[in-house]
Amino acid sequence: MRLMPDEHQVRSLDHQWQLGNTRGQMRTWGRGQFRWTTFDLSVERGPDGKRRIKKTTLTDTADLKNPLRDAVLAMGWSWRARLSKL
C-alpha cells in the first residue's frame, strides 16, 4: 500500500512469490491483485455413518484487505487497486 496524502488516496498492489519443491522447480512470482484462500480437508463420518469430506477455511486474504479498504473509504479517501507498478 502506498499513501498519497496530497490526493487523499491509497494505492494497493499485491506481490506474490511462490517457491517450489526442494529441486527448485515451480518458482513463480506475480504482481497485481490477488485473493488467496487456504483450507484444510478432513474425512469424517456423518450421522448416517457415511464418510464425508469436511472443508475448514483457515485463512483468506479478503479478511485483511476488506477491513483496510473499508477504513480508508470511511475516512473519505479513495482506494485504488493497482494492477501495475505504483
Side-chain angles (χ1 to χ4, degrees):
M1 292 188 338
R2 179 175 284 178
L3 300 176
M4 309 296 285
D6 296 339
E7 302 171 19
H8 293 283
Q9 186 178 92
V10 175
R11 296 180 183 175
S12 167
L13 180 66
D14 298 339
H15 293 268
Q16 166 197 336
W17 291 271
Q18 183 177 14
L19 299 177
N21 57 18
T22 57
R23 295 181 193 157
Q25 298 172 349
M26 269 185 22
R27 290 183 191 164
T28 60
W29 69 275
R31 182 171 57 195
Q33 295 298 313
F34 301 106
R35 180 170 181 190
W36 288 95
T37 303
T38 60
F39 56 89
D40 237 356
L41 295 176
S42 61
V43 178
E44 59 182 34
R45 296 210 180 263
D48 57 356
K50 293 183 179 180
R51 289 187 294 173
R52 61 182 180 174
I53 297 175
K54 181 179 179 183
K55 178 179 170 181
T56 306
T57 300
L58 299 176
T59 57
D60 187 352
T61 55
D63 293 341
L64 176 66
K65 287 183 183 183
N66 292 344
L68 287 171
R69 185 196 63 227
D70 295 343
V72 166
L73 296 176
M75 296 304 293
W77 285 40
S78 60
W79 178 271
R80 302 278 184 207
R82 302 294 304 234
L83 297 176
S84 61
K85 189 174 180 181
L86 297 173

